[in-house]
């Protein structure tokens, strides 16, 4: 049996079996009618914005209906999403009034970002487009014509909200992230309220499901508030929504259990009175919760307000087209009249629909009427499109000298432990402008020194509530990423440390964020932002308690795929280099920084000054591990047989140990050892700002000698970076090759072909191609290396651990 059309508009949910008494949990407030002039102004704004939003989807001429529409007035390609627009505009109009009445600092985050026509229409009416695009989208006839005719065509605004949209702090394409971003934005912004509309389709996503719990991490003493509005219009693209099929009892029980007070707004004939009363109640509740916390008597588990707004999808649009229900149906999701540019009945329906708004009463001489302007905030800086926190918010961190935290060269130190102590200092110096978001891994990742002078911030835990903690640990990578985005987009700096294998969970979130920042860098009126900073540890190379599932370095590739202007990947070889890199990243702007290091103690090769210079260069020859120049005129041989390159902590250690082994085993083999700490220098010249010049690349890697890369990530990533460099045929890459288990660290090196023995074999075989003495000894030396491998494997099998001396620092 095939699927049939739903026969009614805006169908109600089936009744649940919950007792009616649970509706006592729903907030009941006195419905006070709005003054007539205020209600009229709200309606005027809504009608004008809905007209403009619809016209943006359809019209390329006759934008104010000065005559009946003709087919050639309609765009050849009809792009956009109408269904969510009426609800978004309804909320926008009321937020104007709320800001005006209470002098609020407010950001409007729109989860259904495909509703760009709604936002752009409202921004034109309030004058924000004119503020940021003078001469292009002015509040006059030409500006309105430009807005309508250029929408979703080259050179105009795109169909989704993005960084070109004034007031936006959220890329509106991929659904699910709006709520977490909103909570990140209000942290340490005590006077800010973010109203976040979550579409009922978006509400089905995993990231949104976890983000509802963010109220449990919001300290009302130090932070602002998020007012979530779950917009239940009942349909996704072609199916009913889960929340649209939940009755009021089910919705109230769900969100009451999450910790909210729920007010349902669904009185369609009196929707403005109903929504206005709900918003006034919500602001009063927010202020009550905040005042209690700020007066020293914080409420325990405060129940924050939220609104559930039930309105029909595509409200006010065509009722039926070609016998199909449009308003209150999924058919209104995108373009409700898809043949309006070729079909006369569709064109007539479009004409009737747009005429119903009586735009000539609302836009006179190309300007919004006084009725519309009356409800706008009087202070331009308070308008939803012009709050400074949304476009020029950056606050730099007070510097802390990283060299004060460096460790002694020649010792074994954990990159994470040392960095934790440095970050403790950074957090003390910047008590309200930096936060760390972690998925319950701070102790495991050995960054717990951060907690020496701060605490975790979990408001539902009696032991970590109301103490100003800088650390939020929640076992949702989506929440951590969303919080970081919101916090960064409103001007502050954040860190996201994680197990290496699970950063991939936020791959597409990171990509969406980077798209937003890319466009923001091209928009002249947006200011700088701090970089987003990932610390990746508990890597595949040292999974002490876990196995194959925890061995996945693929997030490197995700960052490498970003635009060169944004992507930065660092693999510092030791604790001092890691400190230098973290310091650099915290001061950087507009990048996605990925820093990969070990939480286990590993060798420290460089002093503080040496580490600083090495990180500045991005790569350097490590003369101490390279074959010496027999003439003594250079720190190491200027004419190596092979170049051995380590990229990553553990695999660099293996390169150094291979050099130690080869110096004894085959002193005739001339070796150059290089460490790369900034992965981006390997890009072909001109493909990345950090890419080495051709001359510098040859200076390091020679022009014609074999280059053996021992790489932390997947080999294909590095091969892609090197593509375009001359003589790639002489370069070989070993890296993680999807071999793993719960086993010893050195066995992981062996399994993936990156151990010292693998490096030594490659070097011997490569060196034999041009060095007669190495060739003469090759068979004997290879056999000796392979016997060493057998011996280590036997020891691991017998004792269940690596040999005790396997991680002794190399001696030259």
């Amino acid at each position: 049996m095939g699927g049939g059309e739903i026969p009614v508009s805006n169908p109600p949910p089936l009744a649940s079996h919950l007792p009616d008494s649970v509706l006592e949990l729903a907030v009941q407030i006195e419905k006070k009618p709005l003054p007539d002039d205020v209600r009229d102004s709200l309606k005027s704004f809504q009608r004008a914005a809905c007209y403009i939003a619809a016209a943006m989807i359809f019209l390329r001429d006759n934008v104010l209906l000065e005559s009946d529409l003709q087919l050639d007035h309609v765009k050849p390609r009809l792009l956009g999403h109408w269904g969510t627009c009426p609800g978004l505009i309804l909320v926008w109009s009321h937020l104007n009034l709320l800001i005006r009445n209470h002098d609020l600092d407010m950001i409007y985050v729109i989860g259904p970002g495909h509703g760009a026509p709604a936002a752009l229409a409202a921004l034109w009416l309030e004058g924000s487009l004119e503020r940021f695009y003078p001469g292009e989208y002015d509040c006059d006839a030409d500006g309105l014509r430009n807005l309508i005719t250029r929408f979703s065509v080259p050179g105009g605004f795109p169909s989704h909200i993005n960084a070109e949209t004034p007031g936006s702090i959220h890329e509106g394409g991929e659904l699910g992230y709006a709520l977490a971003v909103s909570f990140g934005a209000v942290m340490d912004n005590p006077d800010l309220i973010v109203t976040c509309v979550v579409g009922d389709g978006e509400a089905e996503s995993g990231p949104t499901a976890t983000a509802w719990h963010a109220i449990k991490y919001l300290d009302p003493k130090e932070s602002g508030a998020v007012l979530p509005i779950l917009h239940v219009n009942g349909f996704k693209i072609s199916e009913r929504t889960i929340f649209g099929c939940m009755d009021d009892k089910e919705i109230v029980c769900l969100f009451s259990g999450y910790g909210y007070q729920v007010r349902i707004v669904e009185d369609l004939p009196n929707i403005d009175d109903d929504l206005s009363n709900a918003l006034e109640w919500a602001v009063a509740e927010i202020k009550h919760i905040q005042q209690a916390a700020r007066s020293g008597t914080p409420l325990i588990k405060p129940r924050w307000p939220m609104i559930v707004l039930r309105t029909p999808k595509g409200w006010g649009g065509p009722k039926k087209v070609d016998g199909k229900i449009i308003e209150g149906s999924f058919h209104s999701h995108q373009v409700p009249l898809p043949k309006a540019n070729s079909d006369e009945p569709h064109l007539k329906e479009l004409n009737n629909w747009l005429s119903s708004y009586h735009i000539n009463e609302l836009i006179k001489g190309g300007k919004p009427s006084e009725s519309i302007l009356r409800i706008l905030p009087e202070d331009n800086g308070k308008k939803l499109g012009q709050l400074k926190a949304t476009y020029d918010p950056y606050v730099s961190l007070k510097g802390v000298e990283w060299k004060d935290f460096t460790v002694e060269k020649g010792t074994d130190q954990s990159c994470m432990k040392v960095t934790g102590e440095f970050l403790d200092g950074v957090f003390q110096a910047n008590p309200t402008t930096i936060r760390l978001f972690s998925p319950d891994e701070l102790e495991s990742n050995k960054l717990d020194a951060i907690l020496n002078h701060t605490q975790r911030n979990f408001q539902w835990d009696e032991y970590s509530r109301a103490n100003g903690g800088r650390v939020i640990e929640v076992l949702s990578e989506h929440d951590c990423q969303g919080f970081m985005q919101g916090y960064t987009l409103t001007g502050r700096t954040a860190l996201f440390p994680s197990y290496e294998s699970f950063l991939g969970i936020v791959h597409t979130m990171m990509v969406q964020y980077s798209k937003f920042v890319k466009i923001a860098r091209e928009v002249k009126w947006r200011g700088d932002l701090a970089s987003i900073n990932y610390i990746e540890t508990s890597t595949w190379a040292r999974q002490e308690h876990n196995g194959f599932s925890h061995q996945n370095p693929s997030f490197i590739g995700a960052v490498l795929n970003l635009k060169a202007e944004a992507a930065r990947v660092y693999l510092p070889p030791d604790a001092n280099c890691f400190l230098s890199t973290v310091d650099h990243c915290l001061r950087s702007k507009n990048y996605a920084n990925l820093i990969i290091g070990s939480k286990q103690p590993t060798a420290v090769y460089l002093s503080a000054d040496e580490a600083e210079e090495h990180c500045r260069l991005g790569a350097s020859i490590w003369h101490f591990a390279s074959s010496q120049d027999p003439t003594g005129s250079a720190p190491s041989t200027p004419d190596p047989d092979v170049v051995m390159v380590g990229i990553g902590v553990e695999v660099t250690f293996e390169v150094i140990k291979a050099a130690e082994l080869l110096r004894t085993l085959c002193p005739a083999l001339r070796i150059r050892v290089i460490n790369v700490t900034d992965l981006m220098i390997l890009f072909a010249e001109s493909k990345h700002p950090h890419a080495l010049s051709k001359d510098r690349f040859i200076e390091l890697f020679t022009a014609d000698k074999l280059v053996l890369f021992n790489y932390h990530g997947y080999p294909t990533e590095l091969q892609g970076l090197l593509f375009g460099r001359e003589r790639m045929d002489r370069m070989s890459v070993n890296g993680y090759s999807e071999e793993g288990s719960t086993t010893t660290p050195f066995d992981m090196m062996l399994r993936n072909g990156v151990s010292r023995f693998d490096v030594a074999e490659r070097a011997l075989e490569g060196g034999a191609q041009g060095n007669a003495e190495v060739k003469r000894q090759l068979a004997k030396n290879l056999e000796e290396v392979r016997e060493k491998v057998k011996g280590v494997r036997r020891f691991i099998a017998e004792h269940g651990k690596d040999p005790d001396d396997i991680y002794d620092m190399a001696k030259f």
Side-chain angles (χ1 to χ4, degrees), residues 174 503-512 554-555 557-559 561:
E174 190 170 291
L503 272 179
I505 292 170
V506 298
H507 175 175
T508 57
M509 286 186 76
M510 182 269 296
V511 171
Q512 292 289 313
S554 63
F555 197 66
V559 178
N561 285 332

Side-chain angles (χ1 to χ4, degrees), residues 34-65:
L34 287 163
D36 290 342
D37 61 334
V38 173
R39 190 183 300 106
D40 290 345
S41 288
L42 290 167
K43 290 294 185 189
S44 294
F45 185 98
Q46 294 157 19
R47 284 167 48 208
C50 282
Y51 173 87
I52 295 169
M56 288 167 67
I57 296 172
F58 288 96
L59 299 185
R60 67 173 177 176
D61 202 354
N62 192 18
V63 298
L64 287 175
L65 291 190

Side-chain angles (χ1 to χ4, degrees), residues 789-809:
V789 172
K790 292 176 183 177
V792 172
R793 286 192 188 279
R794 281 196 301 269
F795 184 94
I796 293 172
E798 291 174 12
H799 300 278
K801 67 172 187 173
D802 292 328
D804 292 338
D805 62 350
I806 205 79
Y807 291 109
D808 287 352
M809 189 172 292

Side-chain angles (χ1 to χ4, degrees), residues 469-509:
R470 299 284 86 202
V471 173
I472 288 180
E473 285 193 294
V474 54
L475 197 48
S476 164
E477 285 82 1
H478 292 120
D479 273 357
C480 292
Q481 175 72 23
F483 295 162
M484 177 168 68
Q485 290 181 194
Y487 198 73
T488 303
L489 285 165
T490 47
R492 287 74 57 75
T493 303
L495 291 148
F496 181 175
S498 174
Y499 276 30
E500 175 180 70
S501 56
F502 302 129
L503 272 179
I505 292 170
V506 298
H507 175 175
T508 57
M509 286 186 76

